[in-house]
Amino acid sequence: MEAVHRHGRDHARAQQLFVTSAKEWFGVAPTCETIEYAEHSFHKVRDGRFYEMNYLIDAQAVQRQLGM
């Protein structure tokens, strides 16, 4: 799932990600299992370049799947 929205020069994107841990992440050993979580990103554009990027992820979904 992915949705992209534009408002003037600014962009927002919502997507569902599937990732596999390959190395330690915040002290959690890699499991080599795929996890799924939602991410929303917000990009501000000036002169054709990103000058600010912010991300929001479903941290609880990630923690739950990693057994935290």
Side-chain angles (χ1 to χ4, degrees), residues 9-47:
R9 294 174 296 183
D10 299 337
H11 301 217
R13 180 164 81 183
Q15 59 186 348
Q16 194 70 18
L17 297 173
F18 299 87
V19 299
T20 304
S21 59
K23 61 182 181 176
E24 187 176 293
W25 182 73
F26 291 106
V28 177
T31 62
C32 297
E33 296 199 20
T34 300
I35 63 171
E36 174 184 359
Y37 63 92
E39 176 188 79
H40 300 271
S41 57
F42 308 91
H43 308 277
K44 293 190 177 201
V45 180
R46 181 187 302 140
D47 299 325

